[in-house]
Amino acid sequence: ELKVEQNPLFLSMQEGKNYTIYCNYSTTSDRLYWYRQDPGKSLESLFVLLSNGAVKQEGRLMASLDTKARLSTLHITAAVHDLSATYFCAVAYSGTYKYIFGTGTRLKVLA
Amino acid sequence: DAGVTQSPTHLIKTRGQQVTLRCSPISGHKSVSWYQQVLGQGPQFIFQYYEKEERGRGNFPDRFSARQFPNYSSELNVNALLLGDSALYLCASSLDGGNYGYTFGSGTRLTVV
């Protein structure tokens, strides 16, 4: 059974600092997705990573995928308050489009 | 362009009742998936439909059923509601079945009392 774990679960950081969120998964997959969720809202797609070594960047966020290590990272550079949200990674079961979501990382950026 | 639309946005039901949730995908999207998100947790996969055929089912009891219509809209039905069914139900659509990611709707908040 595919399991997806994120760490940390909670992250409180100062504006201007850098940090990384980790997403580990338990079985082979080469498709990984990052989503953002604001309180009471739906999921917003951030990144689609479809191959080993894929790296995507958008603003202060950069995501990467290492399928051999079964690990994805979401790196935050010079955090700002607007990045406060819950971030989920999701891994697709090999050969299917069933997404297994991680536990989520609740990020709070302090001014 | 309209995104994924879901209705209703909120509803309250009593234990034992039945509920139907509706979803309209983005125009041109042929795949619809349903997820359940309990407060404080990540979404859990319920169903996927592509071109009106069920392509996947998650670990949910038979009380949960769904279908996709010729216009690619979808309904999720839950019978014999339990308190534990209280959650945000998210519908997501994609062009190709989800390979390049899903676009999620705003969800239906179901409360079972």
Side-chain angles (χ1 to χ4, degrees):
Chain A
E1 180 185 348
L2 175 59
K3 292 186 178 179
V4 181
E5 293 184 347
Q6 289 181 234
N7 68 83
L9 297 182
F10 298 94
L11 176 56
S12 182
M13 55 190 299
Q14 296 287 331
E15 276 192 330
K17 299 293 186 183
N18 304 333
Y19 209 83
T20 300
I21 298 171
Y22 298 89
C23 174
N24 292 90
Y25 54 98
S26 61
T27 63
T28 301
S29 177
D30 56 2
R31 291 176 286 143
L32 191 139
Y33 310 86
W34 284 97
Y35 287 88
R36 167 182 171 147
Q37 188 175 38
D38 291 297
K41 304 292 186 181
S42 188
L43 297 165
E44 174 191 353
S45 178
L46 294 175
F47 299 109
V48 177
L49 304 170
L50 298 180
S51 61
N52 185 42
V55 178
K56 297 280 185 72
Q57 183 165 4
E58 181 71 35
R60 302 175 186 275
L61 301 178
M62 182 173 71
S64 65
L65 178 61
D66 181 343
T67 59
K68 294 178 181 177
R70 298 176 186 168
L71 170 69
S72 179
T73 60
L74 179 65
H75 186 72
I76 303 158
T77 301
V80 293
H81 180 70
D82 285 352
L83 291 179
S84 297
T86 299
Y87 292 85
F88 291 98
C89 63
V91 179
Y93 257 111
S94 183
T96 79
Y97 299 114
K98 172 182 176 180
Y99 290 11
I100 304 299
F101 280 81
T103 46
T105 296
R106 188 177 299 175
L107 171 66
K108 186 172 183 179
V109 181
L110 305 172
Chain B
D1 284 343
V4 178
T5 58
Q6 292 186 243
S7 63
T9 54
H10 298 83
L11 75 165
I12 300 173
K13 290 286 189 178
T14 304
R15 278 178 297 175
Q17 286 188 314
Q18 175 265 340
V19 68
T20 298
L21 311 181
R22 295 176 175 81
C23 172
S24 293
I26 291 172
S27 178
H29 285 194
K30 299 180 179 180
S31 176
V32 169
S33 290
W34 288 94
Y35 286 80
Q36 181 197 63
Q37 187 178 24
V38 173
L39 194 62
Q41 297 182 18
Q44 282 197 290
F45 173 78
I46 310 176
F47 286 107
Q48 188 207 18
Y49 280 80
Y50 183 76
E51 286 277 19
K52 294 157 285 183
E53 290 189 3
E54 183 182 303
R55 289 291 185 91
R57 172 185 284 254
N59 294 328
F60 282 80
D62 291 344
R63 299 185 295 107
F64 288 76
S65 63
R67 54 180 175 168
Q68 186 176 33
F69 298 98
N71 66 354
Y72 303 112
S73 67
S74 178
E75 286 182 352
L76 175 70
N77 295 285
V78 186
N79 294 323
L81 285 166
L82 303 173
L83 295 179
D85 295 331
S86 296
L88 180 67
Y89 288 84
L90 295 164
C91 173
S93 76
S94 71
L95 270 171
D96 62 344
N99 194 45
Y100 294 99
Y102 282 110
T103 300
F104 282 82
S106 298
T108 294
R109 174 74 62 187
L110 171 65
T111 301
V112 182
V113 297

